[in-house]
Amino acid sequence: MASQPGAALRLVLLISGIRTGLLQPGRSSGFHTSSENYPLASSFQDQLRNSGESQNLVTENVTVVEGDVAIISCRVKNNIDDSVIQLLNPNQQTIYFRDFRPLKDSRFQLVEFSSNELRVSLSNVSIEDEGRYFCQLYTDPPQEAITTITVLVPPHDLVIDVQKDLHKEGEKVEMNCTAMASKPAATIRWFKGDQELQAGRTEVEPLGDKMFRVHSQISLIALREDDGVPIVCQVDHPAVKEMQARQHLEIQYKPFVLVSVSYPQGLTREGESLELTCRVVGKPKPERILWQRLDDELPDHAIVSGDNLLITNLNKTDNGTYRCEASNSLGKASADYILFVYDPPTTTTTTTTTTIPPPKTTSTTNSTSLITPDDEIAKTRQTAVAMGNQLQLNITENDVIKVLDSHSQELTNEDLMELDQEIELREEAQDIETPQLKKFLTKELADAFRLIEAGMAKLEAQDSDTERFAKVYRTVTEGLKCYRAIYDEKKKSSIQTSLDAYFNK
C-alpha cells in the first residue's frame, strides 16, 4: 500500500492530465497503485503525427552492451513555456512524467531533470530492453522524438578443438572454433603465431531471439617448424575488445642432422687432430647416432664419444667422407663431412750471411790482360760463324758484322710504326685464342666444402633460432648436392687410377 502523500500526488497528476486531455484512463501496468496505466489520449497522438516542421525535441540512439548502463536523454532546444516532458518505453508505458517515475521498474533512475532536459539511466540492460523509446513534449502542437536502444551481446564462450593432439610432419591438421550465442553474429579469424590464416569454412547459425552461434574450421599441413606454435581463434565483435582461444600444435618429425667442426679452426694437417660434432634435432628424440666412413672403415685412431668423432694424428690415409646418421620412429637422416688432410706446415730457418770483402789487388806488369768489349764482340762473331758453318748456312764474319751494324742504328718513324702494328697484331691474336676450360679439382672441392661447413658453423653459433638455421642449412645442403656428386665421382676415379697404377707395377 502506497503512502497517502504519494497516492495523493499520483491522483493530482492523473486528474490534471485527464482534465487537460493529455491522458485518458486505460488498462495496463505500473502507472497507478493498482494495475491501471494512462496512455496518451488519441487526440494527442493525432497531433503528434501532424506536429510537422517546428520540431523542438531531440534525442539520440543508444547502443549498449548487455549488463551495462544505457543513458536516455530527451532534450528541448527552447522550452519557453515550461512544457511537460515525458519518456515512454517500447510498450508505450510511461517511464517518467517530468521527474516522477510511474513505472515500477527500479532499473530506471532519474539522472537529470530540468525544463530543457529529461535524462534517465537504465541499468543492467538485457536484450528484452531493446527497442524504440519515445520522448514526448506537451506543446501546441505536441512533439515526439524516438530513440532506439540496441543491445549488444558478446559471445558467451569461445571453444577451440582439434581432432587429435599429436600430428606427424606432413599430416593434415583440422581445427574447429565455435563462438557461442552472441548478438550480432561474431566474426572468427585464425592465426598461426602472428601470421593470419585463411579460414576454410564458416557457418552462422541463428538461435532465435536475435542471437547467433558461429562455427569456423581451418585445415593446414603439419610442418616441423610449427611444433609448439599456437593456433589462435580470435573473435571480432563490437561488444568485446579481445577474445581468443588457442591450441598449441605438437608435431613429430624425423631427425635433422648437422655436422660441424669443433677443432681445428683452420686447415686439417698431418699430425694434428680433428674433432667433429653431430648436432641432431628430432621429435621424438633420436634413439641413436651412428658415425661411419663411406666406402671404408673408421681409422683405428678414431674415437667415437656420443655425438663427437675425434681423429688423432691425422694422415693422408684418413681422407674421405665421414657421415653422422640419426634415426627415430619416423625415419632417419644424415649429414656428411669431407676430410682432406694437408701437408704439415713447413718450417723456415733463418740463416745469417756474412759478407767478406774481396782482397785488395795490386796491378803488375806480368798480370793477365783484361778482356775488352771489342774482344768480346770479336769472339761472338767467331762463334756465330762457327755455328753457321756447322749448320751449313755459309755464314761469313762479314754477314755477322752487317747484322750487328743494322741493330746498332736508331729506328726510323716508319720502323716504329711497323713495330707497333706488329705488336697490335700479336695482341689481337692472343685475345681471340680459345680460353682455357675450367675444371674441378678434388682437393679444391674438398677445401670449398670445408670452408662452407666452417661458415655454417659460425652462423649456427650466433643464431638463437634453431629452426631458422636448420631451414637455411637444408637449403645450402640441397644446393651443394650437384658439387658433392662431382666430388664423389672424381674421388672414385682417383681411387681407381691409383689401384690401376698399383696393379700394373
Side-chain angles (χ1 to χ4, degrees):
M1 178 67 68
S3 62
Q4 290 183 353
L9 178 58
R10 289 185 178 88
L11 288 172
V12 170
L13 289 172
L14 290 172
I15 293 170
S16 62
I18 293 171
R19 286 181 176 178
T20 57
L22 296 177
L23 300 174
Q24 62 182 6
R27 306 294 298 180
S28 186
S29 63
F31 190 91
H32 197 261
T33 52
S34 66
S35 61
E36 290 182 342
N37 180 41
Y38 288 83
L40 292 174
S42 58
S43 59
F44 183 74
Q45 293 175 344
D46 293 339
Q47 293 180 60
L48 284 175
R49 285 192 291 267
N50 300 322
S51 57
E53 301 176 357
S54 59
Q55 183 72 12
N56 200 29
L57 184 63
V58 293
T59 186
E60 294 89 19
N61 294 332
V62 178
T63 299
V64 60
V65 177
E66 184 183 42
D68 287 354
V69 178
I71 302 295
I72 309 170
S73 177
C74 303
R75 298 191 307 279
V76 182
K77 294 180 182 179
N78 187 14
N79 194 0
I80 300 176
D81 54 359
D82 196 19
S83 301
V84 174
I85 305 175
Q86 181 178 229
L87 175 64
L88 290 82
N89 66 13
N91 296 324
Q92 294 286 331
Q93 296 170 321
T94 302
I95 301 173
Y96 267 92
F97 185 87
R98 297 179 64 89
D99 58 351
F100 172 65
R101 176 170 59 82
L103 198 64
K104 293 181 180 180
D105 191 343
S106 61
R107 295 180 305 143
F108 290 97
Q109 293 293 324
L110 185 66
V111 177
E112 183 176 339
F113 171 73
S114 67
S115 60
N116 292 318
E117 183 176 15
L118 172 61
R119 192 187 312 166
V120 177
S121 66
L122 171 59
S123 60
N124 194 22
V125 175
S126 67
I127 195 169
E128 288 78 13
D129 297 317
E130 192 172 67
R132 303 202 309 169
Y133 289 73
F134 304 90
C135 294
Q136 295 178 344
L137 181 65
Y138 296 107
T139 56
D140 186 16
Q143 299 179 30
E144 182 180 81
I146 299 173
T147 176
T148 300
I149 292 184
T150 301
V151 180
L152 305 178
V153 182
H156 292 168
D157 197 6
L158 186 63
V159 179
I160 186 172
D161 63 90
V162 62
Q163 291 180 343
K164 58 181 182 178
D165 296 330
L166 189 63
H167 292 83
K168 295 180 181 179
E169 184 177 22
E171 285 185 345
K172 185 177 181 181
V173 182
E174 288 190 355
M175 287 188 174
N176 296 281
C177 186
T178 303
M180 299 304 181
S182 66
K183 176 183 176 295
T187 299
I188 293 180
R189 299 166 63 191
W190 289 93
F191 294 86
K192 183 172 72 172
D194 297 329
Q195 177 189 0
E196 185 165 3
L197 304 174
Q198 184 69 38
R201 179 176 60 86
T202 300
E203 177 184 348
V204 179
E205 177 186 358
L207 298 178
D209 198 19
K210 308 175 184 178
M211 304 290 286
F212 300 91
R213 181 189 293 124
V214 180
H215 304 274
S216 182
Q217 185 182 77
I218 193 171
S219 61
L220 49 89
I221 301 300
L223 303 175
R224 65 178 62 193
E225 294 85 358
D226 297 334
D227 183 44
V229 175
I231 301 297
V232 180
C233 169
Q234 179 176 302
V235 161
D236 286 347
H237 192 276
V240 291
K241 291 184 177 179
E242 183 175 348
M243 187 176 188
Q244 58 180 222
R246 59 179 57 206
Q247 176 77 34
H248 286 80
L249 293 175
E250 187 172 357
I251 311 298
Q252 290 186 329
Y253 51 93
K254 70 178 185 179
F256 169 74
V257 182
L258 170 66
V259 174
S260 60
V261 180
S262 300
Y263 180 85
Q265 297 300 319
L267 297 177
T268 50
R269 297 185 181 275
E270 279 190 302
E272 297 181 352
S273 297
L274 169 68
E275 184 176 2
L276 302 177
T277 300
C278 185
R279 306 179 191 278
V280 180
V281 179
K283 191 171 183 178
K285 186 177 180 180
E287 301 155 359
R288 67 187 186 95
I289 294 176
L290 174 65
W291 280 102
Q292 58 182 320
R293 181 182 181 184
L294 301 187
D295 302 327
D296 205 345
E297 298 292 333
L298 286 174
D300 293 336
H301 49 284
I303 302 172
V304 177
S305 177
D307 300 345
N308 294 341
L309 172 64
L310 176 64
I311 306 176
T312 60
N313 194 23
L314 289 169
N315 59 73
K316 292 187 181 296
T317 62
D318 299 328
N319 287 346
T321 302
Y322 292 80
R323 172 169 294 176
C324 174
E325 184 177 279
S327 61
N328 61 12
S329 58
L330 274 74
K332 63 181 181 179
S334 63
D336 296 342
Y337 174 80
I338 299 174
L339 172 61
F340 188 91
V341 179
Y342 291 82
D343 293 330
T346 57
T347 57
T348 58
T349 58
T350 303
T351 59
T352 303
T353 304
T354 304
T355 304
I356 302 175
K360 295 181 179 179
T361 59
T362 304
S363 300
T364 61
T365 57
N366 295 326
S367 61
T368 304
S369 60
L370 297 176
I371 299 176
T372 65
D374 290 340
D375 294 335
E376 287 287 345
I377 295 173
K379 187 175 180 180
T380 302
R381 288 200 302 266
Q382 294 172 2
T383 302
V385 171
M387 292 177 62
N389 292 331
Q390 290 179 0
L391 296 174
Q392 297 180 357
L393 296 177
N394 297 322
I395 295 176
T396 64
E397 188 171 351
N398 289 331
D399 296 329
V400 176
I401 292 173
K402 289 180 180 179
V403 171
L404 292 175
D405 289 342
S406 66
H407 280 76
S408 65
Q409 297 174 359
E410 293 185 1
L411 296 176
T412 64
N413 290 338
E414 292 181 356
D415 294 333
L416 292 173
M417 291 176 64
E418 290 179 0
L419 182 60
D420 288 340
Q421 291 177 357
E422 183 179 351
I423 293 173
E424 288 179 1
L425 290 174
R426 289 178 182 176
E427 290 178 348
E428 290 177 0
Q430 291 176 356
D431 290 340
I432 62 176
E433 287 181 357
T434 304
Q436 185 177 2
L437 294 177
K438 296 180 180 179
K439 63 179 179 178
F440 289 105
L441 300 177
T442 306
K443 177 177 175 297
E444 296 298 330
L445 283 170
D447 287 347
F449 294 143
R450 180 189 57 78
L451 292 173
I452 292 171
E453 289 292 345
M456 295 304 296
K458 289 184 178 181
L459 289 176
E460 181 191 22
Q462 301 175 70
D463 195 346
S464 59
D465 190 336
T466 305
E467 295 298 336
R468 175 176 58 194
F469 174 77
K471 188 181 295 183
V472 172
Y473 186 82
R474 282 199 302 273
T475 303
V476 173
T477 303
E478 187 67 26
L480 291 173
K481 279 186 176 180
C482 58
Y483 294 116
R484 287 194 180 274
I486 295 172
Y487 173 82
D488 292 340
E489 185 64 29
K490 292 185 72 67
K491 183 182 173 184
K492 290 179 182 178
S493 176
S494 175
I495 293 173
Q496 186 62 44
T497 302
S498 300
L499 292 173
D500 293 343
Y502 176 79
F503 288 111
N504 290 330
K505 285 182 179 180

